[in-house]
Amino acid sequence: MTRCESINEFVVRFANTNGTGSASANNMFAKAIMRMGLPVSAKNIFPSNIQGMPTWFEVRISEKGYLGRRGGAPEMVVAMNAQTLSEDIDSVRAGGYLLYDSSSMLPQRLEREDITFLGMPISEICRTEYSDQRQRQLFKNVIYVGAMAALLGLDFQVLRQLVSEQFKGKDKLIRPNLYALELGFQFAAKQFSCPLAIHLERRELVGDKIMVDGNTACALGAVYGGATVVGWYPITPSTSVIEKFSSYCQRLRIDPASGQKNYAIVQAEDETAAIGVALGAGWNGARAFTATSGPGISLMTEFLGLAYFAEVPLVLIDVQRAGPSTGMPTRTQQSDMLTCAYASHGDSKQVLLIPSSPYECFEFSALAFDLADRLQTPIIVMTDLDTGMNHHLSRPFGWDDAHKYDPGKVLDAGALDEVAAFARYADIDGDGICYRTLPGTHPKKGAFFTRGTSKNKLAGYSEKTEDYTNNMERLAHKFATAATLLPEPVIQLNAKPASVGLVFYGSTLEAIPEAVALLAEQGVKANTMRVRGFPFCAQVLDFIDSHERVFVIEQNRDGQLRTLLCNELMIDPAAMTPVLHYDGLAITGEFIADSVEEQLSAQTNRVAG
């Protein structure tokens, strides 16, 4: 048997049962690798059922810095779920390793001659060491992490430090967790030849990066962006955005003098009410937001239309998942792009911010509140489950304490005194953005109410064709102004001239460096452009026009960004080739490279034929 041999370039997959607390142990394993200075990524592949179903957790270590999902067979599997044992054994790469619970005899029919079986009686150890049933389950996870430290050369002191940090404030839990780690480590060190042919060696490749999930980053961004009001209704995978925001507010939004809360979080009866709470707060001048996912977006679209037409600031964080309908609630996808871009009935368009990393989740969530106030319209932050719920390496978040929130065009009482008549929907400055007032600013002037019906410049009800047309054209002009305020696309040019352009967005970012490298090995040089906002700015069209072949890479079936590009920039659909991935798992660099190469070859063959 030829064994897998690799230092710092391999994948470990953990197979567990959902609800057993394994994710915490697996994340600790990934964080320990990061602290050894090694680039690492973690993907939690979990079911929508609360407890008892199979779950997998993949950790990719890549000294080359490739952090997208690799796909294919892992070099090592830790099999802790009897239900999927057969499947997990089959999944190991030839020459790889399987660490399994040998408390029960392995059926002979499951044996493979081309992998190394590492049997460890984990359940038996737990039965011996612990009397409490819950402890027996929880410490299984810690014991196999300890064993992995010996097998892979993971720095054991780093693990010890992580345990101390994880249970800080719950000190009585530190000692038993350290003991469980030690049990696993000592067993593996005595019973197996450690380290394995695949193992870790310390490097200094991570710098000052942190490991964090995108939902936490969005929550913190909302805090720094000045949010004080939330209306929400729980839905996977967005719920933790609000949970984290709530925990931050309990520390950071308490008035030090009175001890009173300076924030309000309202869990509504449904998504419609949730966005209504945020919308009402936004009309009254608070920085307010809601968070949801695809089905929630469907219910919120009527209020999104009201916010667009009445011109009320609002921030919505959409953590996309696989649809349609209930779809696959715990799988990732980029399938809300068209729904959000044109949310609501009638001629309406929404402004989108599209982060690709936890850093941008933080940055764009904070930015969204300034943009919402300045543009007086909903701003939708389009993240997804992969970015939102998985832990990623990220540069540390930064914030300029001198930053002053941009309230946009708000008239105070003094300014209102200087105007004869306040015209709420008049475009004074020629950018499509009107002046607004906050309710109660002035006893006689300013707006106290708003409406979703057609109106004239003074906000009076009007069905005159001229009033309606002028208002709709001004809103279109404001949308064009928004394009100048959004983050520009990130364009990376190949060292040598390239005729191939790759257009992508969101969490696809992690797979792109590997895809570009794989294409280069095939002699294909590619430039890349990452779209970060909608409406599109001029650079987007320039990039597309400057390449002979453009591929638009998306994690949905219907090529939703490509459709938007065609619709909004008047591009011939034939000028952009879709690369579409939609199985619910994160896209891989190999998939992108193979798809592009295949379509380039097909074109060459057509020309040659």
Side-chain angles (χ1 to χ4, degrees):
M1 177 178 66
T2 302
R3 290 184 308 181
C4 293
E5 295 184 7
S6 179
I7 300 172
N8 299 339
E9 288 287 347
F10 55 90
V11 171
V12 177
R13 179 182 297 164
F14 297 89
N16 296 94
T17 304
N18 202 36
T20 58
S22 59
S24 296
N26 298 338
N27 271 316
M28 184 168 64
F29 172 78
K31 285 182 180 178
I33 294 171
M34 180 198 73
R35 292 198 181 182
M36 290 180 67
L38 294 167
V40 60
S41 61
K43 308 289 185 193
N44 191 9
I45 305 165
F46 62 104
S48 56
N49 304 64
I50 294 173
Q51 196 165 13
M53 296 294 285
T55 181
W56 289 271
F57 192 97
E58 283 192 1
V59 177
R60 182 180 187 181
I61 304 103
S62 174
E63 190 169 311
K64 296 176 182 175
Y66 297 146
L67 298 179
R69 188 174 69 88
R70 193 190 66 182
E75 281 79 2
M76 186 170 189
V77 169
V78 179
M80 296 299 296
N81 187 350
Q83 278 184 297
T84 61
L85 183 58
S86 175
E87 177 184 348
D88 295 326
I89 292 174
D90 288 344
S91 73
V92 181
R93 176 168 293 195
Y97 300 88
L98 180 90
L99 177 66
Y100 71 102
D101 188 349
S102 60
S103 302
S104 301
M105 184 175 293
L106 189 70
Q108 191 171 5
R109 61 181 172 78
L110 298 181
E111 292 181 359
R112 283 176 56 182
E113 295 182 352
D114 62 342
I115 66 173
T116 301
F117 286 82
L118 305 169
M120 182 176 176
I122 299 175
S123 294
E124 187 58 38
I125 293 172
C126 287
R127 278 194 293 269
T128 303
E129 295 288 337
Y130 308 105
S131 58
D132 180 79
Q133 190 62 32
R134 184 59 177 163
Q135 283 186 332
R136 285 176 175 173
Q137 178 56 57
L138 291 175
F139 286 126
K140 275 186 187 178
N141 306 321
V142 184
I143 288 172
Y144 72 64
V145 170
M148 292 293 284
L151 291 167
L152 299 181
L154 189 60
D155 190 326
F156 197 69
Q157 291 308 312
V158 170
L159 278 177
R160 291 177 61 89
Q161 181 64 33
L162 282 168
V163 167
S164 300
E165 294 175 10
Q166 186 166 324
F167 296 105
K168 186 178 181 181
K170 302 175 181 175
D171 293 353
K172 65 179 182 180
L173 298 177
I174 293 176
R175 185 185 293 274
N177 274 279
L178 290 177
Y179 180 66
L181 273 181
E182 193 73 38
L183 283 173
F185 185 88
Q186 294 300 334
F187 182 94
K190 291 176 182 174
Q191 299 297 322
F192 307 126
S193 179
C194 299
L196 304 177
I198 58 167
H199 61 271
L200 306 165
E201 290 183 0
R202 182 177 282 278
R203 300 284 189 270
E204 298 297 334
L205 301 173
V206 173
D208 63 348
K209 289 181 179 175
I210 60 175
M211 186 170 272
V212 65
D213 64 272
N215 282 0
T216 297
C218 283
L220 197 56
V223 172
Y224 276 82
T228 57
V229 177
V230 168
W232 76 300
Y233 187 76
I235 181 171
T236 301
S238 70
T239 299
S240 62
V241 173
I242 307 303
E243 292 173 341
K244 290 290 183 179
F245 180 78
S246 175
S247 67
Y248 286 128
C249 284
Q250 290 170 30
R251 291 165 45 200
L252 304 172
R253 286 271 192 272
I254 303 296
D255 182 84
S258 65
Q260 296 293 309
K261 294 179 179 178
N262 286 328
Y263 65 96
I265 299 175
V266 181
Q267 181 175 337
E269 65 268 33
D270 57 24
E271 284 88 347
T272 305
I275 194 173
V277 169
L279 188 60
W283 171 251
N284 278 280
R287 292 199 155 192
F289 78 104
T290 187
T292 191
S293 190
I297 294 290
S298 297
L299 293 170
M300 292 178 176
T301 52
E302 185 164 355
F303 265 136
L304 281 169
L306 173 62
Y308 171 81
F309 200 47
E311 300 182 61
V312 180
L314 171 72
V315 172
L316 192 163
I317 296 171
D318 177 21
V319 189
Q320 299 171 88
R321 69 188 204 186
S325 187
T326 306
M328 294 195 291
T330 55
R331 299 302 170 96
T332 193
Q333 214 163 76
Q334 298 172 324
S335 53
D336 296 343
M337 297 299 291
L338 285 172
T339 295
C340 287
Y342 300 128
S344 196
H345 52 277
D347 291 325
S348 58
K349 293 182 180 180
Q350 309 294 350
V351 177
L352 311 182
L353 291 172
I354 313 170
S356 285
S357 63
Y359 183 88
E360 285 190 343
C361 284
F362 169 79
E363 184 181 37
F364 288 6
S365 293
L367 171 65
F369 292 93
D370 274 352
L371 288 174
D373 276 356
R374 186 166 178 179
L375 292 166
Q376 299 171 42
T377 198
I379 305 293
I380 306 179
V381 181
M382 304 292 295
T383 178
D384 62 32
L385 183 146
D386 183 24
T387 301
M389 294 196 72
N390 288 321
H391 285 74
H392 304 262
L393 289 184
S394 170
R395 57 184 169 127
F397 305 155
W399 185 257
D400 181 2
D401 288 335
H403 176 79
K404 294 186 180 301
Y405 297 143
D406 181 359
K409 298 178 181 180
V410 180
L411 298 182
D412 59 18
L416 285 172
D417 279 333
E418 295 177 5
V419 297
F422 170 59
R424 170 71 180 97
Y425 295 108
D427 183 6
I428 306 298
D429 304 314
D431 57 5
I433 306 170
C434 307
Y435 284 83
R436 65 174 175 139
T437 63
L438 304 182
T441 297
H442 192 284
K444 296 182 179 179
K445 295 182 178 179
F448 285 79
F449 303 99
T450 189
R451 64 172 77 239
T453 50
S454 180
K455 55 262 185 183
N456 59 26
K457 293 180 180 179
L458 296 174
Y461 178 73
S462 172
E463 290 187 8
K464 292 181 179 178
T465 55
E466 183 179 344
D467 285 337
Y468 177 79
T469 303
N470 287 341
N471 203 32
M472 293 301 290
E473 289 177 351
R474 181 184 55 74
L475 285 168
H477 184 46
K478 182 170 77 168
F479 195 69
T481 298
T484 67
L485 303 176
L486 303 186
E488 294 180 351
V490 176
I491 295 172
Q492 292 195 328
L493 303 179
N494 199 289
K496 296 181 179 178
S499 60
V500 172
L502 307 180
V503 179
F504 67 99
Y505 60 103
S507 59
T508 303
L509 172 64
E510 283 193 330
I512 287 296
E514 190 168 17
V516 171
L518 291 170
L519 285 169
E521 291 175 3
Q522 300 299 318
V524 178
K525 295 181 287 294
N527 297 324
T528 66
M529 177 175 69
R530 178 162 62 88
V531 176
R532 300 199 295 171
F534 174 76
F536 306 118
C537 60
Q539 293 94 321
V540 174
L541 183 58
D542 290 345
F543 180 89
I544 293 170
D545 282 346
S546 63
H547 290 82
E548 293 178 17
R549 290 296 307 270
V550 175
F551 295 87
V552 184
I553 303 157
E554 304 189 59
Q555 298 184 60
N556 60 64
R557 185 194 66 181
D558 293 341
Q560 298 193 19
L561 176 66
R562 179 170 170 269
T563 299
L564 268 182
L565 291 167
C566 292
N567 285 353
E568 298 294 323
L569 300 179
M570 307 299 286
I571 299 174
D572 181 352
M576 297 184 294
T577 305
V579 174
L580 305 174
H581 183 274
Y582 46 92
D583 65 3
L585 299 176
I587 196 170
T588 68
E590 186 178 16
F591 176 87
I592 296 168
D594 287 349
S595 299
V596 171
E597 174 65 21
E598 182 180 335
Q599 295 187 72
L600 287 173
S601 298
Q603 182 191 37
T604 302
N605 292 336
R606 283 197 299 272
V607 172

